[in-house]
Amino acid sequence: GENVEQHPSTLSVQEGDSAVIKCTYSDSASNYFPWYKQELGKRPQLIIDIRSNVGEKKDQRIAVTLNKTAKHFSLHITETQPEDSAVYFCAAPKAGNTPLVFGKGTRLSVIA
Amino acid sequence: NAGVMQNPRHLVRRRGQEARLRCSPVKGHSHVYWYRQLPEEGLKFMVYLQKENIIDESGMPKERFSAEFPKEGPSILRIQQVVRGDSAAYFCASQDRPSTDTQYFGPGTRLTVL
C-alpha cells in the first residue's frame, strides 16, 4: 500500500519569506496529490492539488511541483503571511484511486 | 466544503458507553470516508463507504467499531464500549466519484471519553 513521508514536521519563517514542504510517496501508480491546510480546531481544507499528467501547478502564492520519477511532490508558499500559519498535510491515494493516505503534517508558523 | 455536515460536533462519553457519529455528505455525493485524528497527529483512514456498501474497512479496528451508509440518511460511525484511547477528532469526507478525486471534509466530531 501507499506510504507518504512529509518533511519538515515544523517550519518557522519570517513574514514575506517562502516556505517549502516536501513529501515522498511509495506507490508509483498514484496519480493524484492534494494538499490540505488545517487551522487549529478546524477541518482540513483543500488548498491545491496536482494530477500526474503535469509537473507543476500554481494558484496565486501557492504552487505544487511533482517529480514522478523520484516520487516526490512539494508545496511552495511565497510571500508568506501570518494567516498562512497552520498545519499542512500532503496526501496520496492508497492503491487504486482512493482513499487518501496522509503525511504526518507540517506545522508552519509565520512570524510577523 | 461547507456541504459536508457532521454531528454532533462535540461528544462526551464515559468508558463503556456507545458513541454514534453522523455524517451527511455533500448533496449528490455517494462516497464517504471516515478518518481519525489524534491530538497533534495526522489523519488516519478508517473506512470507505458507498451507498449501502463498505468498500474498504482496512483502517478500522475489527472490534467495537462499525460503519454504515444507508440508502437514505447519513453515514454513521458507531463505537461500542468506548475506551479513553478512542478520544480523538473524527472527520468524514465525501466525494462525488473516485475519478473526480477531490475529497471534501466535514467539520469533525470531537469525541472525549472520560
Side-chain angles (χ1 to χ4, degrees):
Chain A
E2 181 69 276
N3 184 42
V4 177
E5 299 283 339
Q6 183 172 347
H7 299 280
S9 56
T10 59
L11 180 59
S12 291
V13 298
Q14 291 291 133
E15 183 178 1
D17 287 352
S18 295
V20 180
I21 303 170
K22 298 180 180 181
C23 286
T24 60
Y25 61 98
S26 59
D27 187 351
S28 55
S30 291
N31 57 6
Y32 173 67
F33 307 93
W35 285 90
Y36 286 84
K37 174 184 179 183
Q38 187 178 30
E39 296 175 9
L40 189 64
K42 302 277 182 70
R43 75 185 79 189
Q45 296 226 318
L46 179 72
I47 56 171
I48 196 167
D49 56 19
I50 191 167
R51 288 170 175 78
S52 57
N53 56 343
V54 297
E56 184 173 1
K57 184 177 176 180
K58 196 171 182 181
D59 182 4
Q60 299 183 336
R61 296 187 297 107
I62 294 171
V64 56
T65 59
L66 171 65
N67 183 327
K68 283 212 73 177
T69 303
K71 289 191 280 187
H72 66 70
F73 56 112
S74 301
L75 178 71
H76 305 253
I77 306 174
T78 58
E79 301 171 28
T80 53
Q81 300 166 5
E83 51 265 40
D84 294 329
S85 296
V87 180
Y88 291 81
F89 293 97
C90 63
K94 223 175 118 177
N97 212 14
T98 56
L100 295 172
V101 176
F102 284 83
K104 291 187 185 299
T106 296
R107 183 175 299 280
L108 173 65
S109 299
V110 179
I111 303 160
Chain B
N1 184 306
V4 180
M5 307 296 291
Q6 286 187 251
N7 67 80
R9 297 289 308 276
H10 300 273
L11 183 60
V12 179
R13 285 286 178 266
R14 295 190 180 281
R15 280 180 295 170
Q17 291 184 319
E18 178 180 288
R20 278 182 176 243
L21 288 61
R22 295 175 191 78
C23 169
S24 297
V26 172
K27 189 175 180 182
H29 285 192
S30 58
H31 300 260
V32 165
Y33 306 82
W34 284 93
Y35 295 88
R36 176 164 65 178
Q37 186 175 38
L38 294 170
E40 302 296 316
E41 291 192 13
L43 295 134
K44 290 284 170 57
F45 163 72
M46 297 182 73
V47 60
Y48 164 31
L49 308 109
Q50 218 176 325
K51 281 286 186 182
E52 299 185 272
N53 291 302
I54 296 176
I55 308 299
D56 183 343
E57 56 183 348
S58 58
M60 195 162 67
K62 291 193 176 356
E63 295 182 359
R64 303 188 298 109
F65 286 74
S66 62
E68 63 177 10
F69 189 16
K71 188 176 179 182
E72 301 291 338
S75 175
I76 307 282
L77 178 68
R78 183 181 176 206
I79 311 172
Q80 295 178 290
Q81 299 173 353
V82 295
V83 300
R84 289 217 173 107
D86 296 333
S87 295
Y90 292 82
F91 290 95
C92 80
S94 79
Q95 187 178 47
D96 180 12
R97 52 189 185 277
S99 59
T100 59
D101 299 326
T102 304
Q103 294 183 24
Y104 298 97
F105 280 81
T109 293
R110 277 150 188 84
L111 172 65
T112 302
V113 179
L114 301 177

